Amino acid sequence: MTRQFLMNLLLMFIWVALTGTFNYSNFFFGFLLGYFILWLLVKGESYENKKYFNRVPKAISFLLYFIYEMLKANLHVAYDVITPNYFMKPGIVKYPLEVDNDWQINLLSSCISLTPGTLIMDVSHDKKALYIHNMYLKDKDEFIKNIKHGFERRILELTR
Amino acid sequence: MYSRILKTATYYLIPVLLLFSVFILLRGHYKPGGGFVGGLIASIAFVMHSFANSVEKTIRLLRHHPFKLIPVGLIVSFVSAVAPLFLGQPVMTGLWYNEPVPIIGMIGSALFFDLGVYILVIGVTLTILFTISQSTK
Amino acid sequence: MLISILSGIILSVFIFVLGHKLNAKYAILYAIVPISLFVFFAQYIPLLHLQKSILSAYIWMPAMQINFDFNLDGVGLLFCLLISGIGSLIFVYAAKYMIDDSDIHRFYAYLSLFMSAMLGMVLSDNVITLFLFWELTSISSFFLIGHYHKNAESRKSALISLGITGAGGLVLFAGLIWMAQIVGSYSIQEIIAQSSLIKNHEAFYIILTLLFIGAFTKSAQFPFHFWLPGAMKAPTPVSAYLHSATMVKAGIYLLLRFSPAFNHTPFWNITLLSIGGITLLLGAIISISKYDLKSILAYTTISALGFMVFLIGLGSDLALKALGIFIVVHALYKATLFLITGIIDHTYHTREINELAGIRKHKPLLFATGIIAAFSAAGIPLTFGFLGKEAIYESLYQQQEIWSFVLLGLLVLANIFMLYASFVAGIRPFTGKPSQIVQETPIKSDGSLLIAPVLLAALTIIFGVAPVLFEKSILDNFLASTITNVAIINSHLALWHGFNIVLVLSLITIILGTAIYIFAPKNIDKRETEARYNTGNIFIGLNILLKKSALVITHKLHNGYLRKYLLTITIFSLAILGYAIFKHIQIHLDFSKYSSFKIYEVAVAIMVIISVITTISTTSRLTAIVSMSVVGYCICLFFVFYSAPDLAMTQFTIDTLTVVLFLLVLFRLPSFVNLANRKTKIRDAVVSILFGVFIGIIALGILNEPHPNTISKFYGNESYLAAHGKNVVNVILVDFRGFDTLFEIVVLSIAGIGVISLLKLQVAETEKE
Amino acid sequence: MNLTLYLQYVILPILAFSLILTFIRLIKGPDIVDRVIALDLIITSGIGVIAIYCITFNSALFLDVGMILALIAFLGTMAFSYYIEKRYK
Amino acid sequence: MTEILVMIFSTIGSLAILIAAIGIFRMPDFYLRLSVTVKAATLGTGFILLATCLFFGEISVNTKSLAIILFLVLTAPVAAHLIARAAYFSGTKLWDKTLIDEMKGMYDKETGILRSGEDDDEQEKGASPNP
Amino acid sequence: MIENMIVMPLLGQMLIAIITLLFWGKSKILRYISLFGSLFVLINAIILFTKVAQNGILVMHAANWKPPFGITFVADTFSSLMVLLTSIVGFCISIYCVQGIGTNRVNFGFYSIYHFLLMGLTGAFLTGDLFNLYVWFEVIIISSFVLMTLGGRKAQIEGSIKYVAINLFSSIIFLTGIGLLYGVAGTLSIADLAVKVPQLPNQGLVSIISIFFIISFGIKSAIFPLYFWLPSSYHTPPSAIAALFGGLLTKVGIYAMMRMFSLVFTMDGWISQVVILLSVFTMFVGALGAINKMNLRRLFSYLIVCHIGFMVGGIGMFTLTALTGTIFYLIHDIIIKTNLFLITGVIRLMNGSVNMNHLGNMYKDYPKISFVFAIVFFSLVGIPPLSGFWPKINLLTAAFEQQQYIYAIGLIFASFITLYVIIRIWAKAFWKEKTSTLDRLTNNFEGKTLVEKTYLIAPIVILMLITCYFGFFAQNIYEISSKIANQMIDKTDYINAVFGHIN
Amino acid sequence: MELVIILLIALLYSSGVYMLLRRSMVKLLIGVMLLGNGTNLLIFLMGRITRGNPPVIPDNLSVLTEPFDDPIPQALILTAIVISFGLQAFSIVLLKRVYVLVNSDDLDDLNTPEEINDI
Ligand code: NA
Ligand code: NA
């Protein structure tokens, strides 16, 4: 997978060097082009080699999901912040972790923290639980389920 | 402070910061930046590491006590300052290599001077912070 | 002539270097130097008959006009002969007297140094070198007085005498420099020649006072006389030499030297007359209440010095002539008496007159010298002292004024006391039934100790019987340099002037004095009277007062509280800046020169203001740190607004690092405690607000001025073309003003090293440095 | 409406107002952690101000300052957390 | 066109920052304040930086803007976590209307170790982490 | 005349400092690096001094930028002389330090900072740029600050806080002054300022700005009422360090004041009166402070303050005579004060104390060393013909010329107190028999070998001989002083040399 | 705006001096820092202020064209900032030592009366 990514980058740089135009769109185009070429080349090969090509779309969809969540929740909070009354029901919830890799935990907690209303307090030392502060805690189990099916699932998909 | 999240975060933050510090160092002659700020940023990177791990581990990462960077930095700056003496020029006179080098631009004694500043600032900042941290335990 | 002065110094250096290797027995060899000096000066006697003075100049520091200009005239010769002559005798005497002293060589070193200093002083024609030698006499006498330095009294006396003479010396120094400054020359002759400049100077009285203080301290005049008896803690040869024959006469010499310049100005004459008069009476009166031989001699010396000052104050030609005689008379008999005292002390280990009697059987020769000296002091005919006394009475009588008769009466009174005291010192120990101490002490030969007193006594008689010898050798030359009246110069000293009023006075003095000596009750402890006349107590009181006030002032100023120091400094700065602003600045606002207001900038400014207030008013340390860093950040924003990106970057980072450092250190400290009361806070607030306001006013004033920025323009033009950089600030830092940066990083390095050493190195209190 | 004017008279005042609000929290506290996050927010908003400023004066030089700000905002918060924690241990 | 986009982006950004500011100003407890500000500020600054990207359109400027955004996104959650943790450690009170606090009592005050409560064996062993 | 030679003493010190950093912790080598390095610098300083004496003012433009655009280094008689004195003092203290500084301190960077301090001093004397002078001042402050705390004893910490707080305040005032001056004149080169400032339209502002320099340099040179840091701190560090401080630190302030007021500002009118008045107060507080002190180091600290008054008054009068005297006194004072503190170090070694209550018998125990000490003491007092005497002639003459009688009174009073305390020291420490029974008092001197003793005594003797030279050959010093004074009164030489005009 | 900046300068100097006069060493250090900020701002103002024209030569030019902000005060302040950082860092460490010695940062606790325990 790493090899393919590096290959993709190499292709991109060759493209840029060939065209001699140093700007974003050209880099981006070179990357896409390289990706496409590689994708063509690995078609029909073993699962291991295809992994890279599954990742990229997933990463993009993850990013879009993240931005969507972030905007949605931001508006929610904004409403609460601006209006005089508080609608909040805050609480600190223990979230049982499925992911066990440090990187994954980091990614997950970053995502959770950056979407409004929720905030990572800490990770337990045995990496089994995440303590999350939530502004709108209507139903604890519902909240845990949302994350499980939202961010955590996507992260697991992306990294495994 | 033991934070798994911070520890993981430093893995990717430190290289970014070091890269940024070199960038700031090299372009100082053309755009805002320079050895001083560059050095500070680099030391912030190591300070982060020490927060996330421990001072001892950071020193192990650096392989030497940062104190040893102080004379190194001084020597680099000193040499680039007195080098013109040997060419019969006044001290500090800028000596320049005629052809510009890509990315960095013109290479000259001023750049080495700034490099010395960079090294020294890392050395001093880390020396101070680490010595205090170690003595606080 | 320089060699003559240097010889003593050379001898002294020689002794310092090699002396400790020599046997004490050879100390007598040192006397060769003063003896040869005496011979050397004696040869000038005939020469001076031919010319008024002999000049010799040795270049030392011509650019500073400071050279060894020596001027040997009659006055100088008199003193030179006295110094070297009595010096020779003392050298001989001390060789035996001090033979058991382990520090005898050092003693001789200081003694010969002193002798040179004296010679140098009386020969100098340059006020600077005069002062140089003057101070040298003080210093060498300090070491001589403190010779027995294990004795606390001895140390104290040395301190007091150097204290007084040193202070006087400095005052004299001021006076000499002042005169030299007015005249424009350091030459004494020049100063005397142009003395009218000084006399017409607005500060004439002050200058003279300075001169007087110098002379009076050295010559133990009232009220500075008290140090002299204390100085008698010195070994007896020193007392004999310094404190009777020579050093104390330095002041007399000085007055005599400047007498041609200032004589016949009322301030000069009246001051000298009164101070001399008081001193001579006071010394004489106190001397009769003493029962320690040396104390008696000390006070009679003070009295004699008073006589001398008095005579200078009288200022007439006859008075000066009397002075010339009296100086020698006094030197001869006083030195003799001291030396006798020394021998007695040496033999019986006491100087109490109450414990001494009947020594004549043990020391008949000494008895004879004692009588001669005492008679000379008493002014009994056929001794030299008679001539002296006659001359003094004559000089005063000749004035024929009411005041002079009154003074004459006082003089007679003083002389009566002097006579009494001299008899007590010179005769009483020898007469009567031997006291217990005397009986118990085995007879031993005085040997070479006797040489000096005997020679001096002999001279007293010789000059007394044949005054012409004195005249030819010393007095004529002396008179030639001090007075102009040819008649007086040419008149001769005579044993018999015929029966006149002066003789009557002399007889009254002798008769009354002798009567008191015979009939006055003996052995009465009159210690009580001492304190009453001792101005020393005043000075000691002054000294204590000085020390105490110094303590108070120092503690008041230097109280150990840093904040008070800073407050003082700030208030001082405010005062001086405030005055300057008040004097030099007008405030006017020229809004056309200022840039426009921007809401967001004002917002940032407001944040600065509030943060500052928070910083200074919060009780939480961390809050203080946080709000202080906000101040820094906001200022960085200003740097961004006003086109200084480099600055903003650097300050942002540094501020943050500083905060981190603070945290590292502070996190365990408790909250601030309110340590100042309201009043203090208000005071500090007023002071600091004023400080800020002043800075603001000055800044405003400068903003109204044009700002020349030629250098910036040069940098703007050359930065890329010559220094290959486009960020001008950075180019300044690494090139145009790279030297600043090079040493700025040195500061950082030092801080780094310092932190390491401060935290890791803790030297124990007891460990060596 | 001109972009520069819009930024100067609408956006920057909004940001200034935000700064002031945050600043009030900084002053009020009540806990040190409140001040720390207020400081953090001030710095982050500062990046915004600087970015807007770059557009206003058409000079990107100040963006570097923004970069530094982002860096030190993190460092500052990290340091404060570190010591607050240490202190209460 | 660019100008309008710049205006829009900067407006969104500044409003987000404003919301963060209001949030930090009036939210009732520390955790809520933190929760609001971290993301709103990151979002707001991100939008403003995107606006500069649009405005300048130069590669060097854009790199920098994007780098700042990236850096903020990377660090903000970490910072929030650190300060929240520190606050909890130092005993900063939760709002009184807070529903639950499952973290209560899970910190070991001595070592700063957070238990998960999932595995009681570990708890009993009192396993200590590497320092 | 362009000369790289000017910066040789400076770079030499820096090089030594860097080399000593490389040998961190190796005390034996460090001592000799410092010793030979200092000798090397001394030789350079002598060469520089003779070159200046032969060729006149030498100038070096750092980075080859012509003034006023770059930083200029100027070696005129005054600065090269000061550099020479610094090198002499540095060399002597280096000798002393071989034995006089403990291994602990040496292993924790003593020598590096010591040479950085000397570098700072040298730089301050040589620079021809105002802001560069500020940088040198900071180098001096931080290195002296570190040296003062080196060892970390409580007294040291206490002293250094006062020292640094007040000195930082001074730096701030100095920097403010520089900023304001830049605001009106737009330049930083001292020579350029010397040309431009007198031509400024608003001379009132210039006077106000000059106040900042008086305050700042006044603090540095410890004049009343800005002197507090000095007696608070100078008794705390080891003697060798105190010797360097005592000899040179305050003198930099004096030097800077003389430079600024000869070249840029004018010392006249009320400012001159204020300065003279302050000088008198300085003499008095210094003298009064010294009277009661039993601790020799404290006593000498106050004497430093006292004698600063002599010089400041001379600056206040600012005539040829006064300046000649001031410079002569400055030269004398540097050597003598250094020596005094070295002497306290030896006394401490001999007795385990520098408190007069615990001292005694030194005259008997060490007659020859005592003799050397005595000469130093009497030079300090100004017993003619020793060195302290000569400048007083000029200072007094100037006082009478200018009718500054109050100054003359102060001078005489201060001289008297100096005499008084010195003879008191002599009586108590040298004459008196030792009575103290404190068992902490040990003689660490006696046990040393002859060579070790020589390292301690030789520098004192060298400095004493130099003092004697000043005394007996005062004319040479006088001529140098008056040459310098002339250059101060007439600044055209300096300006011409810096700008390279041919006279 | 110059007037506002002068106001700030005055404020910084005032508060700096006020803090210098406190007993706490922490406050003393804060005072020094405030004064430092004031001085920097003053020097900056002395070079006069210009908005949006940093002294950086644009990519396409080789000399700096007016108007530009005076770079000299900037360079001076930079140097001054760095220097004061060194001093402050050391002072802060000293503060730590003081705290270890007397267990407070009250400078009056550190005072030893003159001549006591002097050896
Ligand atoms: Na969230
Ligand atoms: Na500016």
Side-chain angles (χ1 to χ4, degrees), chain A residues 103-137:
Chain A
W103 292 90
Q104 292 168 335
I105 296 173
N106 243 40
L107 191 54
L108 177 62
S109 50
S110 290
C111 291
I112 294 172
S113 281
L114 277 178
T115 47
T118 50
L119 176 74
I120 293 295
M121 297 292 292
D122 208 346
V123 189
S124 75
H125 190 254
D126 54 12
K127 296 199 239 179
K128 283 184 180 155
L130 207 54
Y131 290 88
I132 304 174
H133 180 270
N134 188 357
M135 282 171 77
Y136 305 99
L137 190 68

Side-chain angles (χ1 to χ4, degrees), chain G residues 44 47-49 69-70:
Chain G
F44 193 69
R48 310 305 192 263
I49 55 177
D69 191 55
D70 191 342

Side-chain angles (χ1 to χ4, degrees), chain A residues 24 70 74 78 81 83-84 86 90-92 94 113-114 118 121-122 124-126 128 131 135 137 140, chain E residues 19 22 26 31-32 34 39 43 62-63 81 85 98-100 102-103 106-107 114-116 119 122 129:
Chain A
Y24 272 121
M70 190 161 157
N74 247 313
V81 164
T83 51
Y86 295 127
I92 297 176
K94 185 169 81 181
S113 281
L114 277 178
T118 50
M121 297 292 292
D122 208 346
S124 75
H125 190 254
D126 54 12
K128 283 184 180 155
Y131 290 88
M135 282 171 77
L137 190 68
K140 183 184 151 190
Chain E
I19 286 167
I22 297 174
R26 62 178 293 255
Y31 304 96
L32 291 167
L34 176 64
K39 29 262 161 177
L43 185 81
N62 289 2
T63 328
H81 144 69
R85 194 179 119 111
T98 304
L99 297 179
I100 44 169
E102 293 192 344
M103 207 156 73
M106 301 305 258
Y107 269 118
L114 180 61
R115 283 180 283 121
S116 65
D119 190 345
E122 197 193 3

Side-chain angles (χ1 to χ4, degrees), chain C residues 586-591 593-594 697-707, chain F residues 184 202 205, chain G residues 3 6 46 48:
Chain C
Q586 303 96 12
I587 304 172
H588 59 96
L589 300 177
D590 181 357
F591 282 93
K593 283 183 178 168
Y594 306 145
I697 291 173
I698 297 167
L700 205 58
I702 290 176
L703 277 191
N704 289 333
E705 301 292 313
H707 177 55
Chain F
V184 287
N202 193 339
L205 270 178
Chain G
L3 294 181
I6 285 181
M46 288 295 102
R48 310 305 192 263

Side-chain angles (χ1 to χ4, degrees), chain C residues 182-503:
Chain C
I182 293 169
V183 172
S185 164
Y186 292 131
S187 158
I188 294 175
Q189 292 184 56
E190 190 65 28
I191 289 173
I192 292 170
Q194 302 204 41
S195 60
S196 57
L197 285 176
I198 300 168
K199 286 186 219 167
N200 296 328
H201 194 271
E202 51 177 12
F204 172 62
Y205 294 113
I206 299 172
I207 297 173
L208 267 197
T209 309
L210 298 179
L211 207 63
F212 287 155
I213 291 175
F216 292 169
T217 49
K218 197 86 166 179
S219 287
Q221 295 298 294
F222 176 86
F224 306 108
H225 61 276
F226 59 90
W227 68 266
L228 189 58
M232 300 301 168
K233 297 288 179 301
T236 303
V238 172
S239 309
Y241 191 33
L242 273 66
H243 304 122
S244 69
T246 55
M247 187 182 82
V248 288
K249 298 209 172 93
I252 308 297
Y253 166 79
L254 187 80
L255 294 174
L256 197 52
R257 189 45 91 203
F258 284 101
S259 160
F262 305 118
N263 201 356
H264 307 305
T265 57
F267 187 61
W268 171 271
N269 296 99
I270 292 171
T271 310
L272 293 183
L273 272 177
S274 37
I275 295 293
I278 293 171
T279 311
L280 71 90
L281 270 176
L282 197 67
I285 293 169
I286 298 176
S287 69
I288 62 169
S289 68
K290 294 290 163 188
Y291 58 106
D292 174 278
L293 282 176
K294 265 185 150 179
S295 289
I296 295 167
L297 294 177
Y299 281 101
T300 54
T301 307
I302 290 171
S303 181
L305 292 167
F307 269 99
M308 296 175 201
V309 170
F310 182 87
L311 288 173
I312 299 173
L314 211 50
S316 66
D317 290 348
L318 270 181
L320 292 178
K321 181 177 180 181
L323 176 68
I325 303 166
F326 186 63
I327 288 174
V328 182
V329 169
H330 176 253
L332 292 181
Y333 78 74
K334 194 50 66 65
T336 315
L337 289 177
F338 265 111
L339 296 180
I340 291 168
T341 306
I343 294 173
I344 293 172
D345 194 10
H346 206 243
T347 315
Y348 306 106
H349 304 290
T350 179
R351 300 191 303 256
E352 298 284 311
I353 46 168
N354 295 337
E355 297 172 3
L356 293 165
I359 304 174
R360 65 182 183 283
K361 287 177 185 147
H362 288 191
K363 301 177 186 297
L365 190 55
L366 201 61
F367 180 42
T369 53
I371 288 175
I372 294 169
F375 278 17
S376 179
I380 290 172
L382 291 182
T383 60
F384 194 28
F386 174 70
L387 295 175
K389 197 145 292 174
E390 292 277 287
I392 293 172
Y393 289 165
E394 175 76 36
S395 66
L396 202 55
Y397 176 72
Q398 171 254 358
Q399 296 279 339
Q400 298 288 338
E401 303 265 357
I402 294 178
W403 60 264
S404 70
F405 292 131
V406 174
L407 288 180
L408 196 55
L410 288 176
L411 238 51
V412 171
L413 185 66
N415 259 331
I416 292 169
F417 289 136
M418 287 273 276
L419 184 147
Y420 169 82
S422 313
F423 278 15
V424 169
I427 300 177
R428 181 168 291 168
F430 297 94
T431 54
K433 209 171 76 194
S435 65
Q436 200 184 353
I437 293 176
V438 174
Q439 285 170 345
E440 285 167 3
T441 311
I443 303 169
K444 68 176 180 188
S445 161
D446 297 320
S448 60
L449 280 180
L450 277 171
I451 299 173
V454 167
L455 271 177
L456 288 168
L459 215 54
T460 306
I461 295 293
I462 293 168
F463 283 163
V465 176
V468 66
L469 287 176
F470 173 66
E471 251 172 29
K472 287 282 168 254
S473 61
I474 295 169
L475 191 62
D476 284 353
N477 287 330
F478 175 84
L479 292 178
S481 340
T482 45
I483 62 179
T484 45
N485 190 333
V486 186
I488 295 178
I489 296 175
N490 290 340
S491 73
H492 292 292
L493 289 176
L495 287 174
W496 184 248
H497 289 280
F499 192 81
N500 56 17
I501 191 84
V502 173
L503 187 65

Side-chain angles (χ1 to χ4, degrees), chain A residues 80 86-93 117 132-138, chain E residues 27-29 31-32 35 94-101:
Chain A
D80 200 359
Y86 295 127
F87 303 102
M88 300 166 300
K89 294 186 169 58
I92 297 176
V93 174
I132 304 174
H133 180 270
N134 188 357
M135 282 171 77
Y136 305 99
L137 190 68
K138 280 172 213 143
Chain E
M27 280 288 152
D29 81 358
Y31 304 96
L32 291 167
S35 197
L94 287 156
W95 189 33
D96 42 13
K97 287 183 190 160
T98 304
L99 297 179
I100 44 169
D101 178 4

Side-chain angles (χ1 to χ4, degrees), chain F residues 302-330:
Chain F
Y302 272 103
L303 283 186
I304 293 179
V305 175
C306 176
H307 297 155
I308 285 295
F310 291 12
M311 295 176 258
V312 172
I315 299 173
M317 291 185 273
F318 221 87
T319 59
L320 197 60
T321 323
L323 289 176
T324 308
T326 304
I327 293 159
F328 197 141
Y329 201 89
L330 184 64

Side-chain angles (χ1 to χ4, degrees), chain B residues 67 70-72 74-75 78 82 84-85 88-94, chain F residues 2 4 7-8 11 14-15 18 21-22 24 60-64 116:
Chain B
F67 171 74
I70 296 179
V72 175
L74 275 177
I75 290 171
F78 182 75
V82 300
L85 275 184
Q89 305 248 43
V91 179
M92 250 355 266
T93 307
Chain F
I2 307 289
N4 272 325
V7 284
M8 287 314 284
L11 296 178
M14 187 168 181
L15 192 64
I18 294 176
L21 269 183
L22 293 176
W24 183 265
M60 190 213 71
H61 308 299
N64 214 3
F116 277 135

